[in-house]
Amino acid sequence: GHVDADFRTRAVQVTRVVRSADSALAWDSGCRYDMGPTVFHQQYFRPGLLDKLVTWEEGSYFHQGKLDRLRQSLVRLDYFSAIDIQARPQDASDDLRVPVDVNLVLAKRSVYSAGLSYGSESGMGVRFGLERRYVNSRGHKLVTDLDYARNRKNLLVQYRMPAFAWLDGWYTVAASAYDEQTDYIDLRNVKLLASRSGELNERWTAVASLVALRERWSYDTDTATGARVYTLVYPELTGSYIGVDNRLFPRHGLSAQVALRGGAKGAGSDTSFVQGWGNARWFQGIGQADRLILRAEGGATWSQDPIALSPSLRFFAGGDRSIRGYAWREVGPRRGDYALGAKNVLTGSVEYEFYPKGGPYGGAVFVDTGSAFDGTRPQLS
């Protein structure tokens, strides 16, 4: 808060004969300033909406870090194409309170996206998306995404409302419909979700949700039993931790995700279950650009009726983000050539990335292991 701080004296006297230097420094901190009124200059959102992003009390000590946090909160809203925050110490009041002006330029309301896709299991597909950055003056958002492939189809509609009280985050209401028709499974589900997300601190974010899932599935060998249909209603709590030096290419630090969910028979669910899952990645830079990456994943499920656990809630292993060298979902309980999913999962890897002469090209060597399993011990792959 010492905006006027400066050196009164700064001098260095060099004596070449004896190879010495004498420094004379005198620093005057000046008066400490405090935070004054914050004014948002914008013409669309209702008055007072953005004031909730101001985390400091007027009259608290002035600090540039407070303005930086406000800037980050405004960027995450994705409402604006330009954000200019100006502190005006030259216009401070007699009690040394610094006014703050926040000048905002509204971004385009709608973002459209389209693309083509191909997957060995999903087949050829197209994808369309529409995001309304702001639906109304209350700052609500609407996201619609359609992924339509030959064997897999997914439609997601999401409505979000800003939640500034207590923790920066969002209230979200979402609905999705999924259809998968492959050689071994006929899977369809509808999911409804209501959640509250929040930023606990600069590293931790959390989401508390209530989920209603209606799922129908059958395997190609289920000619006698036919399709199974189950309904699950359950709360879910997820957390994400990012403590790395660079989020795009981390060389030091740790990132992790955890999830806990569970439902009770008679409380909207056809069966009782509890499920926990977590993964973590640790990065250690070596030399100019190389890095060592350790990864671990673990998950466990207790279910009153294991058969009733929907395939979308079962664990799988294999693929480029799990046990490389195996196909996607290849590792674990199987029925013939097809994966069924499991109650538990445990995987891990050690990877060394190397970049000759510092890049931009490089390679990696790695060892992966683990499995998805129903018993108490995994069969490692």
Side-chain angles (χ1 to χ4, degrees):
H2 298 277
V3 179
D4 298 328
D6 198 2
F7 287 104
R8 287 182 174 271
T9 302
R10 49 177 180 264
V12 179
Q13 184 177 4
V14 178
T15 305
R16 298 178 62 185
V17 176
V18 295
R19 297 182 178 181
S20 68
D22 296 322
S23 300
L25 300 174
W27 185 69
D28 183 4
S29 67
C31 297
R32 195 185 76 173
Y33 287 74
D34 296 326
M35 303 297 297
T38 302
V39 180
F40 292 88
H41 300 278
Q42 55 87 27
Q43 302 298 323
Y44 182 78
F45 298 105
R46 63 192 307 178
L49 175 68
L50 301 177
D51 293 344
K52 300 175 183 178
L53 295 175
V54 178
T55 57
W56 61 83
E57 295 286 340
E58 186 174 335
S60 62
Y61 68 87
F62 181 87
H63 195 286
Q64 183 64 38
K66 297 178 180 180
L67 304 183
D68 293 339
R69 179 177 177 181
L70 175 60
R71 187 189 311 277
Q72 293 172 4
S73 297
L74 290 168
V75 168
R76 282 194 295 268
L77 290 177
D78 196 31
Y79 294 152
F80 310 105
S81 61
I83 300 170
D84 181 30
I85 301 178
Q86 294 289 339
R88 296 187 289 111
Q90 69 275 12
D91 298 326
S93 60
D94 293 338
D95 55 357
L96 299 180
R97 294 192 175 188
V98 179
V100 178
D101 286 340
V102 184
N103 301 292
L104 304 169
V105 178
L106 205 60
K108 291 183 178 181
R109 180 193 296 267
S110 301
V111 179
Y112 301 92
S113 60
L116 299 175
S117 66
Y118 174 78
S120 58
E121 293 191 12
S122 60
M124 287 294 301
V126 294
R127 185 169 185 171
F128 301 99
L130 168 62
E131 177 184 356
R132 292 278 190 178
R133 284 191 171 108
Y134 41 90
V135 175
N136 50 39
S137 61
R138 293 179 175 85
H140 296 184
K141 288 177 175 285
L142 176 66
V143 178
T144 303
D145 188 79
L146 173 64
D147 192 354
Y148 192 96
R150 185 182 64 184
N151 298 328
R152 287 197 182 102
K153 303 165 184 65
N154 186 53
L155 173 64
L156 171 66
V157 179
Q158 186 182 84
Y159 194 85
R160 294 194 293 164
M161 297 160 281
F164 300 137
W166 184 44
L167 298 172
D168 285 358
W170 299 90
Y171 294 109
T172 302
V173 178
S176 66
Y178 180 81
D179 183 292
E180 179 178 347
Q181 307 289 324
T182 60
D183 292 339
Y184 79 104
I185 193 171
D186 177 356
L187 172 65
R188 302 171 188 178
N189 68 41
V190 176
K191 180 187 291 186
L192 302 177
L193 177 145
S195 69
R196 166 66 157 101
S197 63
E199 181 184 348
L200 304 180
N201 54 46
E202 61 181 5
R203 296 185 177 184
W204 273 104
T205 57
V207 182
S209 309
L210 180 64
V211 182
L213 175 67
R214 177 76 169 178
E215 188 153 292
R216 174 192 182 277
W217 76 95
S218 64
Y219 297 101
D220 64 337
T221 56
D222 288 339
T223 56
T225 59
R228 300 181 179 91
V229 181
Y230 282 89
T231 300
L232 297 174
V233 177
Y234 56 91
E236 180 178 64
L237 180 64
T238 62
S240 176
Y241 173 84
I242 302 178
V244 296
D245 58 341
N246 186 318
R247 297 197 177 198
L248 296 178
F249 187 81
R251 299 192 72 240
H252 299 279
L254 174 72
S255 66
Q257 291 179 305
V258 293
L260 179 65
R261 60 182 69 94
K265 188 174 183 179
S269 294
D270 291 336
T271 187
S272 298
F273 78 99
V274 176
Q275 186 177 77
W277 173 87
N279 76 350
R281 291 191 298 170
W282 179 75
F283 303 89
Q284 177 59 54
I286 299 175
Q288 180 180 358
D290 298 356
R291 60 180 184 171
L292 176 68
I293 305 173
L294 304 182
R295 181 188 59 84
E297 176 194 20
T301 307
W302 175 86
S303 176
Q304 186 182 48
D305 181 6
I307 297 178
L309 194 62
S310 303
S312 59
L313 290 178
R314 297 177 186 172
F315 293 119
F316 296 85
D320 62 331
R321 297 188 179 184
S322 179
I323 307 174
R324 291 162 285 190
Y326 289 86
W328 184 59
R329 296 183 170 183
E330 182 181 358
V331 181
R334 307 178 64 80
R335 179 176 295 177
D337 294 332
Y338 306 114
L340 300 178
K343 295 172 59 179
N344 311 303
V345 68
L346 185 64
T347 66
S349 71
V350 179
E351 179 173 344
Y352 181 76
E353 288 185 359
F354 55 91
Y355 296 87
K357 299 181 180 180
Y361 302 103
V365 292
F366 58 85
V367 176
D368 296 341
T369 187
S371 183
F373 55 98
D374 286 327
T376 58
R377 294 184 179 181
Q379 183 177 352
L380 300 182
S381 299

